[in-house]
Amino acid sequence: MEQYDELFPSACVDSSSPIMVPNGGAALGERPRARRRRRRAARCGGDGGELDGGGDPKKRRLSDEQVEALELSFREERKLETGRKVHLAAELGLDPKQVAVWFQNRRARHKSKLLEEEFGKLKQAHDAAILHKCHLENEVMRLKERLEITEEELARLRSAAGSHAVSGDGGDAMGRVVCSGSPSSSFSTGTCQQPGVRDHLGDDDLLYVPDYACYPDNSVVEWFSLYGLM
DNA sequence: ACTAATCTAATCATACGCGGTATGATTAGCCCATTAGT
């Protein structure tokens, strides 16, 4: 622990105290906070809070100029080697220890700020993904509804066709392929039974059109594109 | 391997402005912090 005495010479720390025994020592098991409180209380009850380094017990804020110079230096290099520390301290009229502490705090606070920003970005992405999922679920529901309608229409057509023609191998009476997709597949290729479109066709005018192409707003196409499915 | 210097993370204490935030300072490090010089 001697290195800390050297690093923080003005600190009110008694190296001979069992509190500061290196590597835990006698203080092992005692909560640091309780230890500090006790130490602080002992100090306040003692000689009136005077630091043993003779410094001002009250915390002094760094001037704007000092902070600006430290910030400038921090932007150049986050780590602080001894030479730079001593030079900065001399330049700003500070204790090298103060410069070291300032850099330590600055690094810590910079890191927490970065983490906060990262969290914000991730949260934004998460929210967008949730919204996207809702849209996809809505789209799936719409597709299922349309599939049901299509299947009903198909059943009607088949029963109507059965009365005046014999079909086989998936072809109709005219030998055309009606549907290559599985009825149970939500995204299968099938006939376009879009209301309105169907009205302009005769019973035998079957079209071979992918389901997604039946949507005038191309919304399905957009979603598929997003996922590289098309 | 040993040691000093330095680091991170957590926390405390105080300044500034009125409860909470910003910031300087302190402490521990536990399969015993890591890094660099000797």
Side-chain angles (χ1 to χ4, degrees):
Chain A
M1 201 52 66
E2 290 79 5
Q3 67 264 32
Y4 298 113
D5 296 339
E6 188 137 348
L7 181 60
F8 307 121
S10 65
C12 180
V13 174
D14 181 3
S15 298
S16 65
S17 163
I19 291 167
M20 296 301 293
V21 168
N23 301 333
L28 189 66
E30 185 176 4
R31 301 283 299 164
R33 193 181 295 189
R35 218 180 303 163
R36 285 180 200 144
R37 281 213 190 100
R38 201 176 59 181
R39 188 170 143 265
R40 179 80 49 184
R43 186 174 54 187
C44 291
D47 57 4
E50 180 73 13
L51 293 172
D52 57 5
D56 190 346
K58 287 190 187 280
K59 188 166 70 178
R60 268 198 354 228
R61 289 216 155 197
L62 304 183
S63 70
D64 290 348
E65 291 75 20
Q66 286 170 327
V67 171
E68 197 177 332
L70 288 166
E71 282 286 353
L72 205 66
S73 185
F74 181 79
R75 262 178 254 138
E76 285 172 9
E77 177 64 55
R78 304 272 161 82
K79 300 276 180 177
L80 186 66
E81 64 278 10
T82 310
R84 197 156 68 103
K85 179 179 72 178
V86 171
H87 182 258
L88 258 176
E91 196 176 289
L92 302 174
L94 293 170
D95 191 320
K97 174 203 72 182
Q98 282 179 293
V99 176
V101 166
W102 189 91
F103 266 76
Q104 283 165 15
N105 285 323
R106 189 67 179 81
R107 274 195 299 270
R109 277 144 197 168
H110 178 69
K111 186 178 180 180
S112 70
K113 189 185 169 193
L114 286 182
L115 283 171
E116 214 167 288
E117 286 172 3
E118 190 63 24
F119 174 79
K121 283 179 194 167
L122 286 171
K123 190 176 182 308
Q124 215 170 355
H126 172 263
D127 291 347
I130 294 293
L131 191 65
H132 191 179
K133 179 173 171 278
C134 288
H135 284 141
L136 286 173
E137 284 171 353
N138 284 339
E139 200 60 46
V140 167
M141 281 178 65
R142 277 178 55 198
L143 286 167
K144 279 181 178 170
E145 284 168 10
R146 286 178 187 278
L147 182 61
E148 275 177 29
I149 293 167
T150 301
E151 282 171 343
E152 285 168 13
E153 180 74 9
L154 191 58
R156 272 201 301 276
L157 286 170
R158 276 185 176 142
S159 65
S163 65
H164 61 77
V166 178
S167 68
D169 295 325
D172 64 2
M174 306 294 286
R176 292 173 298 194
V177 174
V178 175
C179 179
S180 62
S182 160
S184 61
S185 168
S186 298
F187 301 114
S188 64
T189 302
T191 57
C192 180
Q193 304 299 337
Q194 181 88 349
V197 174
R198 183 72 205 160
D199 293 344
H200 298 297
L201 300 173
D203 283 344
D204 293 330
D205 293 329
L206 296 171
L207 287 176
Y208 188 73
V209 181
D211 282 349
Y212 55 77
C214 298
Y215 294 89
D217 60 355
N218 274 339
S219 56
V220 178
V221 177
E222 286 169 13
W223 290 119
F224 282 13
S225 300
L226 267 173
Y227 283 98
L229 295 173
M230 289 180 62

